Amino acid sequence: MIALDLPGFGAGSAVWPSPLLENYRAAITEIIESRSRGGNTSIIGNSLGAVVALLVATERPDLVHRIVLSDMPGLRGIPRLWSRFTSIQSERVLLRTVGRLPNYPATLLFLGLFGGAARRRKMLDSTARKAISHHYERKETILSLVPKARDVMRELSELPVEELVRTVEVPALLVWGADDILTPARVAQSFEWPANISVVVIERCGHCPQLDRPRTFVSHVHPFIFGSNLSC
């Protein structure tokens, strides 16, 4: 098993590449090619990582056994909250608040607002909040966040995500947290999917099921990938 922190996420130190989704797809494909035994690799991706997993499976189905797409954006365009966050208005608010402060208080203000909002609205669990905050401990990275995120949303809007899911050659499991307000579960449930696509919604769970309800998440993912039941 390979647990990969993509650039700009988790404990990774590399900066976001541009274009992001295509570079992520190429990076994961390269890792699979160098470490796998052709066609035996299953990919699990959360949020944008799910989009990347879908792209890899679409481009190189010969390398991929199955994919798990967790709380994936893009099935019906850009999620509303994502659009609000990446708007020109949000960027102006950042510039008027964080932009006018010295580095240390600016960082404290941003991380406090981000952490508080994510916690109150149950968007992300504490582990995910900490992993994201790690990359925004300097004022200049905070101020660059909205423009970079807007570029990613532009990339995502140009992808026919629903069509890619419908036409992907490998079996896919779509996992959603029932309480996810970033990418609502009702979107995935509103489609009639082909036979190779399964959908699971996990109750009392937000945008990161693997962190919010790990045992339940594994209880669905393990039999999908390995074809056997797992006692949890």
Side-chain angles (χ1 to χ4, degrees), residues 35-172:
R35 301 201 181 195
S36 75
R37 300 173 182 174
N40 292 324
T41 301
S42 293
I43 309 174
I44 303 172
N46 173 244
S47 195
L48 279 176
V51 178
V52 178
L54 177 61
L55 291 175
V56 175
T58 299
E59 292 284 334
R60 294 296 306 273
D62 57 305
L63 295 177
V64 180
H65 172 53
R66 296 184 174 218
I67 52 175
V68 178
L69 311 176
S70 173
D71 295 77
M72 181 177 65
L75 286 174
R76 287 196 187 278
I78 304 300
R80 185 178 304 172
L81 278 177
W82 295 40
S83 295
R84 289 179 183 174
F85 175 75
T86 58
S87 67
I88 297 295
Q89 290 82 359
S90 294
E91 185 175 5
R92 287 172 178 167
V93 169
L94 265 185
L95 289 172
R96 286 198 304 265
T97 54
V98 173
R100 293 179 179 177
L101 295 172
N103 184 71
Y104 183 65
T107 301
L108 287 181
L109 174 63
F110 173 78
L111 296 181
L113 291 174
F114 168 75
R119 182 172 59 252
R120 284 193 303 273
R121 303 197 70 178
K122 299 181 180 179
M123 290 191 293
L124 301 170
D125 88 320
S126 59
T127 304
R129 292 197 301 270
K130 185 179 297 184
I132 293 173
S133 299
H134 160 73
H135 295 277
Y136 300 99
E137 296 176 345
R138 298 195 316 276
K139 179 177 172 178
E140 58 268 27
T141 58
I142 296 171
L143 295 177
S144 70
L145 176 60
V146 173
K148 287 181 177 179
R150 194 159 52 236
D151 288 343
V152 176
M153 294 306 99
R154 190 177 299 113
E155 291 180 42
L156 184 60
S157 68
E158 295 170 355
L159 282 178
V161 177
E162 179 197 346
E163 180 183 346
L164 293 178
V165 174
R166 290 189 180 281
T167 58
V168 69
E169 297 180 22
V170 303

